[in-house]
Amino acid sequence: MQGITVSRAGVLKLMNNIKENKVTGPDGIPGRLLKMCSLELVDVFTLLFQASLKQGTTPDDWKKAQIVPLFKKGDRSNPANYRPISLTSISCKLLEHIVHSSIMNHFESFNFLTPNQHGFRNKRSCDSQLITTIHDFTTCLNRHEQTDAILLDFSKAFDKVDHEGLLHKLHHAGIQNSSLTWIKSFLLNRTQQVLVEGTTSPPKPVVSGVPQGTVLGPLFFLVYINDICSELSPGTSMRLFADDSLIYRTIKTPQDSLILQEDLNTLQKWESTWKMEFHPDKCKLLRITNKINKMNFDYSTHNTILSVTESAKYLGVTIDNKLKWTSHYNDTCQKANRVLSLLRRNLHGCPTDVKATAYNTYVRPVLEYGCCVWDPHHQVHIEQFEKIQKRAARFATGNHILRPGQTEVNMRRLSWKPLQERRAKTKLGTFYKARSGSFSIPMAELIANARRTRSGSSTTYIMPHSEVDTHLHSFFPSTIRLWLEHHPRGS
């Protein structure tokens, strides 16, 4: 990678994009001040950033972090029930954005990062990961085969990254000279202290792990874990979303199970070499098949037999062994109802627009997360979701009359579309982005007919053949049907 050059225009853009309500870091310089005085400070920061990169040195104030504990659930006196939020210098984050952009451009130009990694990357997200993975599972079911999928759980993955190992991998990736020297200075001799109600603990050194609360931390983790699946057997797939890992293989013969076990052994060698660790008690085996006679095999890691489960949560979506999605529907609706009940208790006296905003912010995202892969097709499940929105509409408008037609009155007043219609629009939007190359899902596997017309070229898609309902109503077949309804002649 070439040396990083800091431009005045780039620094000014970063300063103007600072969120004014961003929490101040340990250096005490608020983001609001930096944004208000951007024109006065931009030349200073441009000179400071370029000097820091050229000299390969990071100021000590930029290597301090304050840890704010955020309560999750359970006993408040148990420290394990708190999530640590790391606060770092806003000024340093501006330079980190510049370094991050340069490194990522270098990686993209050489396709360095594995395509199996969907976390913290452009054109990829939880949706792209789920669509890609579930597509493989439904294809297997459509062929009446069996997929053994193992959900792997890293133990404190971000905290166990070895600094020397990370620097070695960065050097191998072409990050060298002053850039690598700067990163080494950025990583080493860091300290952190806990901040509770204005009182801080004594600072402690951070001897391993990627710096949390920083812009570069997630990118460094992607580099560190990038080669984890490089030595897996052909036919074995591994999906990564940061540290969320899933390995699976189609099982046709007992030999396939042995190969998958050998791949697990390969992963154990990798974690031993790079000082990472899987948590065997939290790793689960999910056998996805519609066969009556399953092929059973006891997989193990760290001499622990993996427990078999009928459903497991992956990236926030509950996947069962037949991809029926009933468990996910129930879990999602229960969570949405709990949040809606909380809003009804606390906002009953608020205006309609406040209630509607609260629903759109806290309830609807729960009902629609990952909907591209689990969009229900049975009317009973469709109505299960619609009832929650109807209940929310009565809450928002204050119209609790249960006569026929009143629901439509509430929905028109709020300008809310049915959730089924919104899910269809989401799937079409995702499909369009994938066609245009701005979203990374396996479009190349689809059969498309391209032809020339008077107005230009057009592309139509041929419906994939489906043997089972699970495949018929999965993302690609169901979305292609919607696409052909709106674009019967191609576009």
Side-chain angles (χ1 to χ4, degrees):
M1 188 182 76
Q2 299 296 320
I4 301 173
T5 301
V6 181
S7 68
R8 182 183 187 276
V11 175
L12 183 61
K13 181 179 179 181
L14 288 171
M15 296 183 74
N16 288 330
N17 288 337
I18 294 175
K19 295 180 180 179
E20 296 184 2
N21 59 349
K22 200 171 187 66
V23 181
T24 304
D27 57 9
I29 303 176
R32 181 184 295 271
L33 175 65
L34 296 176
K35 186 171 184 176
M36 288 174 56
C37 302
S38 58
L39 290 175
E40 291 79 9
L41 295 174
V42 62
D43 292 321
V44 176
F45 274 109
T46 302
L47 181 64
L48 175 63
F49 291 165
Q50 192 66 70
S52 177
L53 290 171
K54 184 177 180 180
Q55 298 171 20
T57 303
T58 308
D60 291 338
D61 282 353
W62 290 359
K63 296 194 285 186
K64 298 177 181 178
Q66 289 180 336
I67 307 299
V68 178
L70 183 66
F71 179 69
K72 294 187 293 186
K73 60 181 179 179
D75 182 7
R76 288 184 177 271
S77 63
N78 185 356
N81 293 331
Y82 289 80
R83 177 183 292 110
I85 305 299
S86 181
L87 306 179
T88 58
S89 169
I90 298 176
S91 302
C92 184
K93 286 180 180 178
L94 298 177
L95 178 53
E96 289 181 66
H97 277 291
I98 298 172
V99 176
H100 184 285
S101 178
S102 299
I103 294 177
M104 190 57 82
N105 288 338
H106 172 71
F107 287 166
E108 293 293 341
S109 63
F110 290 96
N111 294 321
F112 172 75
L113 295 176
T114 173
N116 297 330
Q117 176 63 262
H118 286 242
F120 311 121
R121 297 187 63 187
N122 189 30
K123 300 181 182 180
R124 290 169 169 84
S125 66
C126 288
D127 283 341
S128 65
Q129 179 76 298
L130 287 168
I131 290 172
T132 303
T133 304
I134 300 302
H135 173 64
D136 288 348
F137 292 169
T138 56
T139 301
C140 177
L141 290 179
N142 200 46
R143 295 171 180 166
H144 303 286
E145 296 174 340
Q146 174 179 325
T147 297
D148 283 359
I150 300 170
L151 291 88
L152 302 171
D153 186 272
F154 276 109
S155 177
K156 299 181 179 179
F158 283 78
D159 296 329
K160 291 188 176 180
V161 171
D162 178 65
H163 289 163
E164 290 301 322
L166 173 59
L167 292 170
H168 169 77
K169 292 191 174 189
L170 286 168
H171 184 274
H172 176 72
I175 315 300
Q176 301 172 9
N177 303 320
S178 61
S179 297
L180 186 63
T181 305
W182 184 90
I183 291 173
K184 183 176 182 179
S185 174
F186 177 80
L187 285 172
L188 303 181
N189 301 317
R190 299 187 70 91
T191 61
Q192 64 183 22
Q193 54 189 163
V194 179
L195 173 65
V196 178
E197 297 181 355
T199 302
T200 57
S201 67
K204 294 291 183 180
V206 180
V207 296
S208 67
V210 296
Q212 299 200 30
T214 64
V215 176
L216 288 172
L219 176 58
F220 289 160
F221 184 79
L222 296 191
V223 174
Y224 197 77
I225 204 175
N226 190 57
D227 61 346
I228 187 174
C229 51
S230 60
E231 297 185 8
L232 297 181
S233 306
T236 298
S237 299
M238 188 170 190
R239 302 296 178 191
L240 301 166
F241 193 91
D243 61 333
D244 283 310
S245 308
L246 176 70
I247 183 173
Y248 57 91
R249 182 181 181 90
T250 300
I251 307 299
K252 299 179 181 179
T253 66
Q255 183 65 25
D256 288 316
S257 296
L258 293 174
I259 293 174
L260 184 56
Q261 177 61 59
E262 187 58 35
D263 288 327
L264 281 175
N265 297 338
T266 300
L267 293 180
Q268 291 181 65
K269 294 176 184 177
W270 181 92
E271 63 171 330
S272 176
T273 301
W274 297 106
K275 302 179 182 179
M276 303 289 279
E277 184 180 0
F278 289 117
H279 200 304
D281 293 333
K282 293 185 178 180
C283 297
K284 304 292 183 183
L285 169 62
L286 185 66
R287 285 197 173 93
I288 301 171
T289 184
N290 45 20
K291 297 168 61 175
I292 297 177
N293 298 319
K294 301 178 184 179
M295 300 188 66
N296 296 317
F297 185 89
D298 290 332
Y299 299 97
S300 64
T301 180
H302 295 294
N303 299 318
T304 301
I305 302 296
L306 300 183
S307 59
V308 182
T309 181
E310 293 188 354
S311 65
K313 183 161 286 190
Y314 180 63
L315 297 181
V317 173
T318 304
I319 304 173
D320 62 78
N321 57 3
K322 296 184 183 298
L323 298 186
K324 296 296 185 182
W325 301 112
T326 305
S327 297
H328 180 73
Y329 298 153
N330 294 335
D331 293 346
T332 300
C333 290
Q334 287 177 9
K335 182 177 179 180
N337 275 320
R338 287 197 302 268
V339 178
L340 180 57
S341 297
L342 177 68
L343 298 180
R344 293 171 66 182
R345 288 194 302 270
N346 290 277
L347 302 179
H348 59 87
C350 292
T352 296
D353 60 332
V354 173
K355 295 177 181 178
T357 300
Y359 166 77
N360 291 331
T361 304
Y362 296 108
V363 182
R364 183 179 279 169
V366 174
L367 294 171
E368 295 183 335
Y369 172 75
C371 63
C372 286
V373 297
W374 54 258
D375 185 17
H377 58 277
H378 290 299
Q379 190 60 38
V380 61
H381 296 136
I382 293 173
E383 191 59 31
Q384 185 179 5
F385 283 84
E386 298 295 347
K387 284 180 179 178
I388 299 176
Q389 179 159 267
K390 292 175 183 178
R391 192 177 302 119
R394 291 195 293 270
F395 155 68
T397 60
N399 179 13
H400 296 277
I401 301 175
L402 298 178
R403 288 202 301 266
Q406 291 302 309
T407 296
E408 288 74 14
V409 171
N410 293 339
M411 299 289 279
R412 283 196 301 268
R413 179 180 171 185
L414 297 167
S415 299
W416 288 357
K417 300 292 184 182
L419 293 175
Q420 184 180 17
E421 183 178 331
R422 288 177 55 86
R423 290 193 296 269
K425 187 176 180 179
T426 298
K427 291 164 68 174
L428 286 171
T430 301
F431 193 78
Y432 176 80
K433 288 190 293 183
R435 289 179 81 245
S436 62
S438 60
F439 194 66
S440 181
I441 55 177
M443 296 289 288
E445 299 181 17
L446 302 181
I447 302 175
N449 287 336
R451 60 182 180 177
R452 304 288 297 182
T453 64
R454 291 183 178 179
S455 58
S457 61
S458 66
T459 302
T460 58
Y461 293 92
I462 298 176
M463 277 292 300
H465 177 69
S466 298
E467 293 280 347
V468 294
D469 282 352
T470 305
H471 182 267
L472 178 66
H473 297 287
S474 63
F475 174 76
F476 285 110
S478 64
T479 309
I480 289 175
R481 285 196 298 274
L482 289 170
W483 186 266
L484 294 177
E485 290 176 8
H486 292 81
H487 307 84
R489 297 183 179 180
S491 62

